[in-house]
Amino acid sequence: MSAGTPLVEVRGAGVRIGDATLLDGVDVDVRTGEILVVVGPNGAGKSTLLAVLSGDRVPDAGTVAWEGEPLASLRPRELARRRAVLLQENHVSFPFRVVDVVRMGRAPWEGTSSADADDAVVAAALAAADVAHLADRRYPTLSGGEKARASLARVLAQEPRLLLLDEPTAALDVKHQTQVLALARRHADAGGAAVVVLHDLPLAAAWADRVVVVARGGIAADGAPADVLTSDLLSTVYDHPVDVLTHPVTGALLVLPRHGTTVQEVAAP
């Protein structure tokens, strides 16, 4: 597929739980060749939007389509071959080895010709996520960051066209944060797509092709980082002063929350 082709299209999506509205009238496109980063404050609806994009949550209103086909019409195994989801928390109840956890990502391909490549795909995923040296370790014995990387390797082993990553860098050090987002970049450049939920605004500015800002269950902005990540918008959405500057050497966006100051104090005469 050519870069920029819509892969998933969400129109008018609404999600309610009891009296609470989690999403309301949301329109979002996920396009091939792009890293789409979703940002917003706690409780804004980011994870709910990811669940709608993945097909794990059918919206109460609106539509979700994969290349024009209703996402809800796809059988679970076919859906699992098209998209893979990395959640914020990944629990494994039994002491499986890391390599066995990663191999679980190959389950959607069982019985197909692609299963012949299982060993090679698992090995490549372990290496890409920098956990090959942990292959024989028991998953529960890993640190938080190691578990996050092992779970990422499982997602990569699934060989999806669409990666859906919910806070994939939260437990990682600087080196592995960069590695994870570089993986998303390579996946998009190869013709896939990646949707990444981030709280880290500097990372969003550095890696996103397009940024969606979610606020109070709606889309506050959708566009290129330079157009969306503005001081006025971010300060309003987060109810906290945020400065957006230009790096004097690289020209990159620098998004810096202002410490020790509130929006009200900034607005005061």
Side-chain angles (χ1 to χ4, degrees):
M1 298 178 65
S2 60
T5 301
L7 193 62
V8 180
E9 297 173 278
V10 177
R11 294 291 179 268
V15 175
R16 295 182 60 85
I17 296 180
D19 294 332
T21 298
L22 306 185
L23 292 180
D24 185 17
V26 167
D27 295 336
V28 173
D29 290 340
V30 178
R31 305 166 190 159
T32 57
E34 282 191 341
I35 296 177
L36 173 64
V37 172
V38 180
V39 302
N42 292 333
K46 301 184 300 296
S47 294
T48 303
L49 175 58
L50 205 71
V52 168
L53 289 169
S54 71
D56 289 337
R57 178 62 160 93
V58 177
D60 301 305
T63 62
V64 186
W66 180 290
E67 295 181 310
E69 181 181 5
L71 192 64
S73 70
L74 297 176
R75 295 183 177 182
R77 180 165 290 197
E78 177 60 28
L79 186 61
R81 293 173 185 167
R82 299 192 188 193
R83 62 90 181 108
V85 184
L86 180 65
L87 300 176
Q88 291 184 44
E89 297 183 5
N90 297 275
H91 300 290
V92 176
S93 299
F94 298 97
F96 293 111
R97 296 180 305 162
V98 168
V99 67
D100 297 323
V101 171
V102 176
R103 191 173 294 275
M104 293 175 188
R106 299 301 298 163
W109 300 101
E110 184 179 358
T112 73
S113 59
S114 296
D116 296 338
D118 281 359
D119 290 342
V121 172
V122 168
L126 287 164
D130 195 20
V131 289
H133 62 293
L134 302 173
D136 290 324
R137 282 272 301 274
R138 301 293 172 178
Y139 185 90
T141 71
L142 303 180
S143 71
E146 290 169 339
K147 288 178 180 177
R149 284 154 41 211
S151 297
L152 174 64
R154 174 188 54 77
V155 166
L156 296 175
Q158 206 168 318
E159 290 193 303
R161 290 171 62 191
L162 173 60
L163 289 173
L164 296 159
L165 311 177
D166 197 354
E167 286 293 329
T169 63
L172 302 182
D173 56 39
V174 172
K175 170 187 172 181
H176 289 106
Q177 287 180 353
T178 301
Q179 286 183 350
V180 167
L181 293 169
L183 283 170
R185 175 76 275 156
R186 291 196 294 272
H187 183 78
D189 288 345
V195 179
V196 186
V197 174
L198 290 176
H199 272 301
D200 192 312
L201 295 175
L203 283 179
W207 289 94
D209 294 307
R210 193 158 50 95
V211 177
V212 165
V213 181
V214 181
R216 299 181 180 179
I219 303 298
D222 179 351
D227 296 330
V228 169
L229 299 177
T230 67
S231 180
D232 287 346
L233 176 67
L234 295 176
S235 296
T236 298
V237 167
Y238 286 93
D239 192 26
H240 184 88
V242 178
D243 294 321
V244 180
L245 311 171
T246 301
H247 194 286
V249 177
T250 66
L253 287 181
L254 298 176
V255 183
L256 305 171
R258 199 179 302 175
H259 299 294
T261 308
T262 67
V263 169
Q264 291 75 20
E265 288 171 336
V266 171

